[in-house]
Amino acid sequence: MVTPEEARALAAAVPDPELPVLTLGDLGIVREVRQDPGGALEVVITPTYSGCPAMDAIRDDIRKALPGARVVTVLSPPWSTDWITDEGRRKLREHGLSPPRRTDGPVALTLGVRCPRCGSPRTRLVSRYGSTACKAMYACRECLEPFDHFKEI
Amino acid sequence: MNPLEIGDDCLVLAQRLAEWVTRAPTLEEDVALANLSLDLLGQARALLSRAGNEDELAYLRGPAQFRNCLLTEQPNGDFARTIVRHLLYAGFLYEMYRAHPEDEVAAKGVKEIAYHRDYAALWTRRLGLGTEESHRRMTAALEALWPFTGELFAADPGLREPWSAFVETTLAESGLAVPGEAPQRDGGRRGEHTPHLGELLAEMQALHREHAGATW
């Protein structure tokens, strides 16, 4: 029988189905793991976007990692990219994806999106919407590489 | 906020936007319109689940039972028409969600719809200030859709003022005129729809009617 702490670690280690370089823990979408009075485990998760099509796959993957666990989805408080961990941001950058800027607190207007490949701040927005709801398309003016940016929400 | 009315708005507009998939002017816009559709579908599912069973509400009702506003069921037309419809509707939905921070769908949705508003405003400027033809098509779209805007504020007239401020500023920045007073059309919230909704539902519900209870 796993303890809620062990269960939390197992749920947090499940890879995200669309961005397998990140875990659910890195993304900050596992809100809570608790045990009901009967001893059954309950994993509380929250979607990144209302229409995120990966939610069914995420629920299945958690149930595979924790057989018998119940997965509950909550909307409140709404998920924010600020919940992506520093480790998650590092992995995104390594994977060629520009991590979201912090939204809690003042954001200097001069801080643009940096190219994850060459680090140049000289980038341009190609489209606010990318291959998944959470990403925008950018291109670097310096190294000319197109890249995805995890957009702030 | 009425979950059936706003849920139906989101569902019907999501279906309309999805009709663009593989048909948009460029690949980036194809992807963007699909993203807008997906956000609205997610919000529709949450709201309709609150109003009842989401599948039954989506697949087993006829047009007279839908409570969406007439604006959301209007056909896509050209790209200008789709952009104007989205500017007018996302502008409204943003104010509706912002007025209900205690509602969890609204609190989450407002962040998504803020991007929708930006997207529509950006294209409104680009097309309004673009070529003579893009300007002409935007003007035609505004005139065609303006009569459907009055209905948006029937339940909550207080939303009109911030909506008007956003729409008028965007149009002014885009070199487009705000349409004058026009006879208004309503009825969507009472189930009196334009024939376009029946056509949309026929396609959306075809699979479920053919194979009741089918799942992926």
Side-chain angles (χ1 to χ4, degrees):
Chain A
M1 181 79 199
V2 289
T3 65
E5 290 72 37
E6 288 165 339
R8 193 187 162 89
L10 284 168
V14 170
D16 177 78
E18 279 181 347
L19 281 168
V21 63
L22 295 184
T23 64
L24 302 185
D26 292 331
L27 274 167
I29 66 175
V30 177
R31 302 303 316 283
E32 199 187 343
V33 177
R34 58 194 179 210
Q35 222 164 1
D36 71 16
L41 283 166
E42 202 169 69
V43 181
V44 183
I45 57 172
T46 196
T48 53
Y49 279 72
S50 304
C52 177
M55 289 307 283
D56 285 333
I58 289 174
R59 280 188 277 268
D60 285 349
D61 290 348
I62 292 176
R63 281 191 286 260
K64 258 177 241 154
L66 288 168
R70 244 165 48 90
V71 184
V72 181
T73 308
V74 297
L75 294 181
S76 181
W79 181 82
S80 160
T81 39
D82 290 338
W83 297 356
I84 298 179
T85 62
D86 289 337
E87 172 69 0
R89 286 160 202 271
R90 187 188 62 74
K91 289 180 187 168
L92 281 174
R93 216 172 286 118
E94 241 166 48
H95 191 62
L97 256 130
S98 140
R101 291 158 293 184
R102 298 270 180 194
T103 60
D104 49 3
V107 177
L109 286 175
T110 48
L111 280 180
V113 168
R114 277 183 185 275
C115 171
R117 185 183 140 97
C118 73
S120 168
R122 290 185 58 233
T123 58
R124 69 185 173 88
L125 176 69
V126 176
S127 174
R128 276 180 165 71
Y129 291 92
S131 55
T132 65
C134 50
K135 289 180 287 190
M137 291 189 259
Y138 275 75
C140 179
R141 292 185 196 276
E142 207 78 51
C143 72
L144 307 181
E145 185 78 0
F147 64 91
D148 279 336
H149 169 67
F150 212 112
K151 66 191 180 207
E152 298 74 19
I153 192 167
Chain B
M1 189 168 84
N2 182 321
L4 189 60
E5 291 181 359
I6 302 298
D8 280 352
D9 282 359
C10 291
L11 178 64
V12 168
L13 189 53
Q15 178 71 13
R16 276 284 179 241
L17 289 165
E19 290 170 6
W20 273 108
V21 173
T22 72
R23 290 166 170 77
T26 68
L27 184 57
E28 285 81 0
E29 299 323 310
D30 206 287
V31 168
L33 292 164
N35 268 280
L36 303 183
S37 171
L38 202 53
D39 283 346
L40 289 167
L41 185 62
Q43 294 162 23
R45 293 187 61 184
L47 289 167
L48 293 180
S49 295
R50 195 183 290 171
N53 177 293
E54 54 170 322
D55 284 342
E56 286 175 13
L57 288 171
Y59 295 128
L60 300 176
R61 281 184 298 164
Q65 293 164 302
F66 270 78
R67 291 291 175 266
N68 60 290
C69 61
L70 300 180
L71 177 64
T72 52
E73 71 199 37
Q74 297 311 302
N76 287 333
D78 57 13
F79 189 64
R81 183 77 70 107
T82 290
I83 291 299
V84 168
R85 187 185 60 203
H86 214 70
L87 181 82
L88 301 175
Y89 187 76
F92 158 75
L93 189 57
Y94 177 79
E95 299 303 338
M96 172 63 89
Y97 282 166
R98 221 163 57 111
H100 294 281
E102 77 292 347
D103 183 304
E104 59 180 21
V105 177
K108 186 161 186 61
V110 73
K111 300 209 250 181
E112 295 162 7
I113 297 301
Y115 274 103
H116 289 219
R117 245 174 42 131
D118 280 359
Y119 172 83
L122 195 74
W123 268 111
T124 299
R125 283 198 286 276
R126 205 180 274 181
L127 296 173
L129 302 171
T131 63
E132 211 170 283
E133 185 178 0
S134 69
H135 187 273
R136 178 179 59 74
R137 286 180 184 237
M138 287 298 278
T139 303
L142 276 164
E143 273 163 20
L145 296 175
W146 202 255
F148 298 107
T149 53
E151 184 182 28
L152 299 172
F153 307 101
D156 202 341
L159 302 179
R160 186 191 280 275
E161 199 184 306
W163 175 85
S164 294
F166 162 71
V167 170
E168 284 167 19
T169 306
T170 306
L171 295 184
E173 287 168 357
S174 312
L176 293 162
V178 178
E181 290 287 312
Q184 292 291 310
R185 296 190 58 182
D186 64 7
R189 303 291 190 215
R190 297 188 300 273
E192 294 161 14
H193 292 278
T194 58
H196 307 302
L197 181 66
E199 290 160 21
L200 178 145
L201 294 181
E203 181 168 332
M204 189 177 88
Q205 299 174 337
L207 184 79
H208 194 85
R209 290 191 187 281
E210 196 76 24
H211 305 279
T215 54
W216 292 110

